Amino acid sequence: GQQLNQSPQSMFIQEGEDVSMNCTSSSIFNTWLWYKQDPGEGPVLLIALYKAGELTSNGRLTAQFGITRKDSFLNISASIPSDVGIYFCAGGTGGGNKLTFGTGTQLKVEL
Amino acid sequence: DAGVIQSPRHEVTEMGQEVTLRCKPISGHNSLFWYRQTMMRGLELLIYFNNNVPIDDSGMPEDRFSAKMPNASFSTLKIQPSEPRDSAVYFCASSTGQGNEKLFFGSGTQLSVL
């Protein structure tokens, strides 16, 4: 099935650094969501975006719904060790609640 | 809220055996989804239900896979007969079904078919 492309595929950063990752698609989506997955667990919803251009924050996390509706961005400020995990974007078309998931960005934080 | 509950957490079986995975969605949620996650293919939607009715099963890989939702609080995903290539983590997720598309996932079942 279709997948959204996320970049970078993985990143290794120092504690305290800011992190940026993005998600792109060849198709338009009406909804963008960002999830985080810890080892051995299911994805956990971080942020949901519903309008093109929307910028939404959740603590140290900020996500944006791209104006073209074909991309989204997630920023994490002042990273901490518990930010380690795999971050997935997901796009929705608004009908039937079906989501298409990205390929994931693995984040590793060095103390 | 207990969240989405899946069982078992781990399943190891031999090729050819029947496997049944179980899911209890969040109470009050009207939509239920089964996903499969592998390193090669990422998260794939297998099937989803709205109000206990299967809406889209186009992601089910083949006839060996079947899913049921006999009531609003229970769903099963069955593989019969199982094959080694079915080894993956299977997630169940639920949502309110009101169009906000916020899916809440269970902890998954790690399936290993030997």
Side-chain angles (χ1 to χ4, degrees):
Chain A
Q2 177 191 9
Q3 278 196 336
L4 305 176
N5 294 315
Q6 287 186 244
S7 66
Q9 186 175 5
S10 65
M11 53 195 313
F12 198 10
I13 63 171
Q14 298 277 342
E15 183 179 7
E17 286 185 358
D18 295 343
V19 175
S20 292
M21 61 188 77
N22 66 61
C23 183
T24 60
S25 169
S26 57
S27 304
I28 289 175
F29 288 101
N30 296 323
T31 307
W32 285 95
L33 300 98
W34 284 91
Y35 286 82
K36 177 177 181 275
Q37 186 175 24
D38 292 326
E41 297 296 330
V44 174
L45 180 64
L46 300 174
I47 292 179
L49 303 158
Y50 298 105
K51 291 171 56 177
E54 180 181 355
L55 187 71
T56 297
S57 293
N58 178 9
R60 292 178 298 106
L61 278 59
T62 301
Q64 184 161 24
F65 191 141
I67 292 176
T68 65
R69 294 180 176 267
K70 293 184 178 181
D71 56 12
S72 180
F73 308 88
L74 177 69
N75 296 315
I76 305 172
S77 62
S79 58
I80 59 177
S82 62
D83 290 334
V84 164
I86 303 178
Y87 291 79
F88 290 99
C89 63
T93 55
N97 287 320
K98 288 179 65 173
L99 291 180
T100 300
F101 278 84
T103 49
T105 292
Q106 182 162 25
L107 180 63
K108 301 176 184 178
V109 179
E110 185 176 73
L111 296 176
Chain B
D1 196 324
V4 176
I5 300 173
Q6 291 187 245
S7 64
R9 285 298 307 270
H10 303 275
E11 177 79 28
V12 180
T13 190
E14 292 186 346
M15 182 174 63
Q17 297 297 307
E18 177 179 294
V19 174
T20 300
L21 311 181
R22 297 172 176 80
C23 175
K24 176 178 168 53
I26 292 173
S27 177
H29 281 192
N30 296 322
S31 297
L32 183 140
F33 306 77
W34 283 100
Y35 281 85
R36 178 172 68 177
Q37 185 177 40
T38 61
M39 288 293 292
M40 290 295 293
R41 300 173 68 89
L43 273 163
E44 301 175 279
L45 177 64
L46 301 178
I47 184 171
Y48 79 95
F49 297 82
N50 277 350
N51 296 313
N52 312 338
V53 176
I55 301 302
D56 186 348
D57 65 353
S58 59
M60 296 286 260
E62 46 196 277
D63 292 345
R64 296 184 298 106
F65 286 70
S66 63
K68 295 182 179 180
M69 191 165 185
N71 58 62
S73 59
F74 184 66
S75 177
T76 59
L77 178 67
K78 185 176 294 185
I79 308 173
Q80 166 64 20
S82 58
E83 297 182 3
R85 59 193 169 117
D86 301 331
S87 298
V89 182
Y90 290 81
F91 288 105
C92 176
S94 69
S95 73
T96 61
Q98 294 174 359
N100 64 17
E101 296 173 300
K102 291 183 179 179
L103 265 59
F104 295 88
F105 285 80
S107 297
T109 295
Q110 172 82 58
L111 174 64
S112 298
V113 183
L114 307 177

